[in-house]
Amino acid sequence: SGTNVQTTNDPDGGGQHRGSLSNGDWIALNGPFNLQDIDGLTFRVSSSSTQIPAGNPMAGVEVRLDAVDGPLLTTATLMSTGNNTTWQSQSGPITDPGGSHKVYLVFRSIPGGQGGGNLFNLNWVQFDGEGVGTL
């Protein structure tokens, strides 16, 4: 809701990224996902402007389960990359919720961070951890 798709300039590829991420906008990841033994998330991001110097807090992402207003799994604080052509993978821990869930990302402005209608650019999200194994 509220985002757009753009051709990415990320050297790690992906073809397209999400932009125009305003406070309260959200996306639903294609799922559901089995989150058993998942202990972190990695976001591939770039700043949307040079307003926030690299390394400073830029924006937040609420990771919610099963609905856009569902249980909060974590809130990740993303750091500025300095500009929209510098991409970084930024990781954060989560507590394994177990089981299969739909995953929603809700974008948030933070005090001192990027303002306006484009908080940052998002290329991809990766689930980290051992994951579900087979015996």
Side-chain angles (χ1 to χ4, degrees):
S1 170
T3 71
N4 68 23
V5 177
Q6 303 169 2
T7 301
T8 192
N9 57 7
D10 185 351
D12 276 6
Q16 297 180 322
H17 68 258
R18 291 284 180 157
S20 294
L21 309 174
S22 298
N23 187 55
D25 287 349
W26 57 272
I27 60 174
L29 301 182
N30 292 331
F33 299 95
N34 189 331
L35 299 177
Q36 181 179 338
D37 295 327
I38 299 299
D39 58 13
L41 291 174
T42 298
F43 299 90
R44 183 74 173 173
V45 300
S46 77
S47 296
S48 58
S49 77
T50 58
Q51 194 172 20
I52 307 298
N56 288 291
M58 168 176 67
V61 179
E62 295 176 350
V63 181
R64 296 198 170 261
L65 299 178
D66 302 318
V68 71
D69 59 353
L72 182 64
L73 180 60
T74 192
T75 300
T77 299
L78 302 174
M79 299 299 168
S80 173
T81 66
N83 62 64
N84 66 359
T85 60
T86 301
W87 290 85
Q88 293 177 348
S89 299
Q90 300 182 21
S91 300
I94 62 170
T95 301
D96 174 0
S100 186
H101 298 275
K102 293 181 180 178
V103 176
Y104 292 79
L105 306 178
V106 182
F107 308 108
R108 297 292 182 198
S109 57
I110 60 172
Q114 180 69 36
N118 194 5
L119 301 175
F120 65 98
N121 299 308
L122 175 68
N123 192 357
W124 47 258
V125 178
Q126 173 181 292
F127 296 94
D128 301 324
E130 191 174 312
V132 178
T134 57
L135 299 176

